[in-house]
């Protein structure tokens, strides 16, 4: 691996990322910019990586490092990727060892931007990011939080553990061609389980942990997509590089998914959505009276999947639904696929310790033409990859 380091204060966090990469068995060559060494010095990078550290093309010229480093890499990860580095990469500048390496690399390239919010949101930066994504590079969304000084906002470098997971998923995908099969796509994914308030304390909900939806988001990012994740009541950390929108109720999830779907090429409804909600929630906690509980009048929630399928933002938009069933899985799944009008429906059996809250899953991907693709039992990441394989096969 090549770990490129830009000149940002977040460079100190990359030391922990480097430690995780080397301890997991990867051979890592750190290539910082000259200015990056003002934040973390070359001896630190050399000691942590066990590899020589250089910033200029004039060192060890007989080894042609400006070409060889990029040619021999399985992954190039740039963190922090400053606005200056993103601009140079987008326009093909090659004025130091890192930018030369980016031009010669034929492996997957991942940029983890970190900068002040104003710089991240500037039209020039956004245009450079769009250019890099169109070329197949993976540009993760920065985290939102405390920046340099007292400022807060979008532009924070994701945590080292999260960036390590991004690198791991990208490397698992193999070659650059396979990694980039979702490059340039915008995807909107829902995850978790909605909650409908009965009173300020109690709610109607379900057992969904959001793990499968989060795996879909992380996998789509690793395959090059720009991802928006609408997360309903999960206890999971936000996936690095994914724009996460937290929601609670079905109404909030519907509104967030409508907004995310407007610009999406693929919409995936993986959240477990409550079918019913109380007609009215009590303003204060409902107390025992000794006379038994009062009936709770319920009403149906909107059918978000059917709505998104019927009112697509663009004709070529693909819509994928999920169906959690306890019995007659395939029959119920095919009936649901017909009702919802989506392009694919991923059906899985739940209950008795299956699917909800577990790290593993198995499913069947159904299509309107009657075809079905079984997804064997495995990790939720492997199930996510199988879902995206089915989506990629239907992309225009």
């Amino acid at each position: 691996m090549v770990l490129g380091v830009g000149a940002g204060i977040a460079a100190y966090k990359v030391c922990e990322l480097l430690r995780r990469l080397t301890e997991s068995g990867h051979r890592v060559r750190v290539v910082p910019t000259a200015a990056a060494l003002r934040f973390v010095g070359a001896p630190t990078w050399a000691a942590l990586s066990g590899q020589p550290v250089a910033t200029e093309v004039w060192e060890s010229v007989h080894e042609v490092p400006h070409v060889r480093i990029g040619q021999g890499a399985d992954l190039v990860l740039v963190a922090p990727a400053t606005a200056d580095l993103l601009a140079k990469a987008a326009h093909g500048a090659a004025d130091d060892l890192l930018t030369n390496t980016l031009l010669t690399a034929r492996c997957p390239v991942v940029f983890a931007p970190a900068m002040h919010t104003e710089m991240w949101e500037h039209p020039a930066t956004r245009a450079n990011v769009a250019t890099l994504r169109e070329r197949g590079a993976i540009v993760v969304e920065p985290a939102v939080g405390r920046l340099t000084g007292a400022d807060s906002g979008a532009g924070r470098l994701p945590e080292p553990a999260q960036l390590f997971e991004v690198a791991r998923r990208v490397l698992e995908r193999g070659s650059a061609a396979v990694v980039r099969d979702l490059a340039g796509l915008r995807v909107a994914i829902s995850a978790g389980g909605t909650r409908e308030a009965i009173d300020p304390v109690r709610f109607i909900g379900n057992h969904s942990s959001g793990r499968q939806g989060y795996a879909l988001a992380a996998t789509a990012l690793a395959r090059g997509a720009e991802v928006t994740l609408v997360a309903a009541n999960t206890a999971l950390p936000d996936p690095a590089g994914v724009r996460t929108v937290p929601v609670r109720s079905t109404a909030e999830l519907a509104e967030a998914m409508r907004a995310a779907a407007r610009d999406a090429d693929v919409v995936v409804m993986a959240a477990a959505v409550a079918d019913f909600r109380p007609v009215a929630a009590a303003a204060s906690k409902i107390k025992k009276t000794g006379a038994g509980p009062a009936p709770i009048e319920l009403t149906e929630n909107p059918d978000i999947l059917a709505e998104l399928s019927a009112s697509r933002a663009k004709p070529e938009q693909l819509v994928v639904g999920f169906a959690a069933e306890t019995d007659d899985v395939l029959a119920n799944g095919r009936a649901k696929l017909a009702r919802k009008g989506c392009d694919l429906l991923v059906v899985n059996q739940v209950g008795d310790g299956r699917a909800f809250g577990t790290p593993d899953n198995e499913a069947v991907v159904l299509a309107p033409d009657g075809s079905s693709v079984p997804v064997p039992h495995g990790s939720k990441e492997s199930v996510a990859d199988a879902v995206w394989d089915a989506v990629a096969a239907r992309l225009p």
Side-chain angles (χ1 to χ4, degrees):
M1 287 184 57
V2 173
L3 181 58
V5 183
I9 187 62
Y12 80 91
K13 297 168 71 173
V14 182
C15 295
E16 171 66 15
L17 172 61
L18 174 57
R19 185 188 67 80
R20 289 175 178 269
L21 292 169
T22 55
E23 288 186 355
S24 62
H26 299 295
R27 184 171 180 265
V28 185
R29 177 75 181 264
V30 181
V31 183
T33 65
L37 298 182
R38 291 177 174 264
F39 295 94
V40 179
T44 299
W45 298 123
L48 291 175
S49 68
Q51 300 289 327
V53 174
T55 63
E56 302 296 338
V57 298
W58 310 109
E59 300 179 41
S60 303
V61 174
H62 64 288
E63 296 178 355
V64 201
H66 73 290
V67 172
R68 295 288 181 259
I69 293 175
Q71 285 179 334
D74 297 302
L75 172 68
V76 177
L77 171 59
V78 182
T82 61
D84 179 63
L85 257 178
L86 293 172
K88 288 180 177 179
H91 293 279
D95 60 356
D96 63 3
L97 189 56
L98 178 53
T99 49
N100 273 269
T101 298
L102 289 170
L103 279 182
T104 56
R106 293 297 179 265
C107 60
V109 178
V110 178
F111 293 92
M115 63 197 75
H116 263 65
T117 305
E118 294 85 353
M119 300 173 74
W120 172 247
E121 294 178 348
H122 194 282
T125 303
R126 303 308 292 171
N128 291 331
V129 168
T131 297
L132 291 169
R133 284 173 171 160
E134 287 170 5
R135 293 177 186 160
I138 298 170
V139 185
V140 304
E141 290 289 312
V144 177
R146 183 72 177 267
L147 306 173
T148 305
D151 294 343
S152 293
R156 180 182 173 90
L157 187 73
E159 294 305 308
Q162 295 177 308
L163 291 177
F164 173 79
E165 284 301 309
V166 172
R168 183 182 67 82
R169 293 294 293 129
V170 172
L171 284 168
E172 282 181 353
R173 291 293 299 164
S175 70
V178 175
V179 167
R180 296 170 180 169
D181 63 351
L182 301 183
L185 293 182
R186 292 179 177 176
V187 303
I189 304 168
S190 69
T194 59
R195 296 177 179 178
E196 308 300 332
I198 297 172
D199 62 22
V201 178
R202 306 174 183 89
F203 60 84
I204 298 171
N206 56 67
H207 295 296
S208 177
S209 66
R211 286 175 182 250
Q212 187 62 74
Y214 274 57
L216 285 159
T219 302
L221 177 79
R223 294 171 72 154
E226 183 180 347
V227 184
T228 297
L229 176 66
V230 178
N233 306 298
T234 72
L236 303 171
D238 294 345
V242 170
R243 177 177 173 263
T244 305
V245 181
V247 297
R248 291 174 296 179
S249 68
T250 299
E252 290 176 356
L253 187 140
E255 182 179 357
M257 284 302 293
R258 290 186 198 111
R262 290 189 193 112
D263 298 323
D265 300 292
V266 184
V267 177
V268 181
M269 276 293 297
V273 179
D275 292 321
F276 306 98
R277 70 182 188 277
V279 172
S284 58
K285 181 181 176 181
I286 300 172
K287 300 288 189 178
K288 291 181 181 178
T289 64
I296 298 174
E297 186 180 357
L298 300 177
T299 186
E300 284 194 8
N301 272 320
D303 191 329
I304 304 173
L305 177 57
E307 177 189 326
L308 293 173
S309 298
S311 56
R312 305 182 190 223
K314 40 192 171 184
E316 67 275 16
Q317 186 180 71
L318 291 176
V319 179
V320 181
F322 270 68
E325 300 291 345
T326 58
D327 48 46
D328 295 330
V329 175
L330 289 180
N332 286 332
R334 292 201 180 280
K336 186 171 185 177
L337 175 63
R339 290 196 312 271
K340 305 296 184 180
C342 50
D343 299 289
L344 293 171
L345 188 73
V346 184
V347 187
N348 62 323
Q349 190 166 13
V350 299
D352 295 328
R354 287 182 294 237
F356 281 152
T358 67
D360 51 3
N361 202 357
E362 61 182 300
V364 178
V365 182
L366 304 177
D369 61 5
S371 63
S372 63
V373 178
V375 181
H377 184 271
S379 69
K380 287 186 173 175
E381 289 180 344
S382 66
V383 173
D385 264 325
V387 172
W388 289 120
D389 288 343
V391 170
R394 287 164 172 77
L395 292 173

